[in-house]
Amino acid sequence: MTSILNNFAFPVISDDNRDPYVSWQHHLDRGSAGGVDLAYPSGSAVRANANGVVANVSWFGSGGHTARLQLDDGRYIEYMHLASFSVSNGQSVSSGTQIGVSGASGQGDLNYYAPHLHVHMYIGSTRVNIYDHFTTARPREEDAKMAQYYLRSTTGQIGRFGGGVTVFGTLDAYNKHRTVVGLWNAANPNFKQVTPPPATAGSIIGLDDYGWSVQVAAHGGIVG
């Protein structure tokens, strides 16, 4: 099977809770066959997720300018709402090659939507969520990278980070976490987290930042 890498430069749109599975379901709810919307600003480079051959499809209905990446194993990925194409029709590319420029095209209009990138994949005639088919599965980008920042810093005690409940045993640990979030946001502007609010001893704060829930137990108790 051809390797498919998650090399997207921007997260899922905030209207979909930064979650590719929420985005997929929202498409189904709107009568679409499925897809994931990524928060690509207009004019951003769109890069191939795998090695393959590109077929450029101009004005592909509601998808607008669409680049179709045909993989050697028969699967293909479609990148929709592009402003323009970056490679020739029928050109072979490697993973990471720029194949288009993001935009808002659709229904014959370059500005039909708010700017974003719509992505989905086909296996045979079935449209599937590309997030289920990356060669190396990894958690949501925000969770995984924030967890790395957290583990590399001096943060105190923590129960679990990302995708569920996180327990901070002390107020000091929580405040150090707030510092880590600030450093993360400065270094990763495309994957910003919401800065957790100030806490006081004994407080319990519930957050829902980009799809992960954090509850703070500054008194050292356990939050379920």
Side-chain angles (χ1 to χ4, degrees):
M1 298 288 282
T2 303
S3 295
I4 302 175
L5 303 180
N6 182 352
N7 57 10
F8 293 124
F10 296 89
V12 176
I13 62 172
S14 59
D15 285 352
D16 291 339
N17 298 332
R18 306 289 185 188
D19 188 321
Y21 300 102
V22 172
S23 189
W24 186 268
Q25 186 59 50
H26 282 175
H27 279 82
L28 298 181
D29 293 344
R30 295 193 295 266
S32 165
V36 176
D37 287 341
L38 301 167
Y40 274 63
S42 184
S44 302
V46 176
R47 301 186 183 279
N49 294 97
N51 300 339
V53 177
V54 175
N56 297 322
V57 184
S58 299
W59 301 123
F60 188 47
S62 61
H65 291 321
T66 299
R68 182 177 296 154
L69 180 65
Q70 184 73 50
L71 279 54
D72 290 342
D73 57 23
R75 298 177 295 174
Y76 63 91
I77 305 167
E78 289 186 333
Y79 307 82
M80 293 183 161
H81 312 314
L82 302 180
S84 61
F85 303 110
S86 299
V87 299
S88 301
N89 192 42
Q91 182 174 332
S92 295
V93 299
S94 57
S95 179
T97 301
Q98 180 174 333
I99 59 175
V101 176
S102 62
S105 63
Q107 302 292 8
D109 185 344
L110 278 174
N111 297 294
Y112 189 77
Y113 299 99
H116 70 284
L117 176 68
H118 171 109
V119 181
H120 56 249
M121 191 170 81
Y122 274 91
I123 300 177
S125 60
T126 303
R127 187 184 292 195
V128 297
N129 190 334
I130 189 174
Y131 278 79
D132 286 327
H133 297 276
F134 292 129
T135 302
T136 302
R138 72 182 191 185
R140 179 177 306 147
E141 292 89 342
E142 297 87 348
D143 287 349
K145 293 179 182 178
M146 275 294 293
Q148 291 173 10
Y149 263 70
Y150 193 93
L151 291 173
R152 291 171 185 168
S153 64
T154 304
T155 52
Q157 298 300 312
I158 182 170
R160 187 177 69 179
F161 192 93
V165 173
T166 302
V167 177
F168 295 87
T170 67
L171 179 61
D172 181 59
Y174 177 63
N175 285 333
K176 288 176 181 176
H177 166 66
R178 294 184 72 240
T179 299
V180 171
V181 173
L183 293 172
W184 161 265
N185 287 344
N188 300 274
N190 295 337
F191 291 92
K192 283 187 175 181
Q193 298 285 345
V194 175
T195 302
T200 58
S203 65
I204 297 177
I205 302 172
L207 305 177
D208 185 12
D209 299 342
Y210 291 171
W212 48 268
S213 296
V214 175
Q215 291 180 312
V216 180
H219 51 65
I222 296 175
V223 176

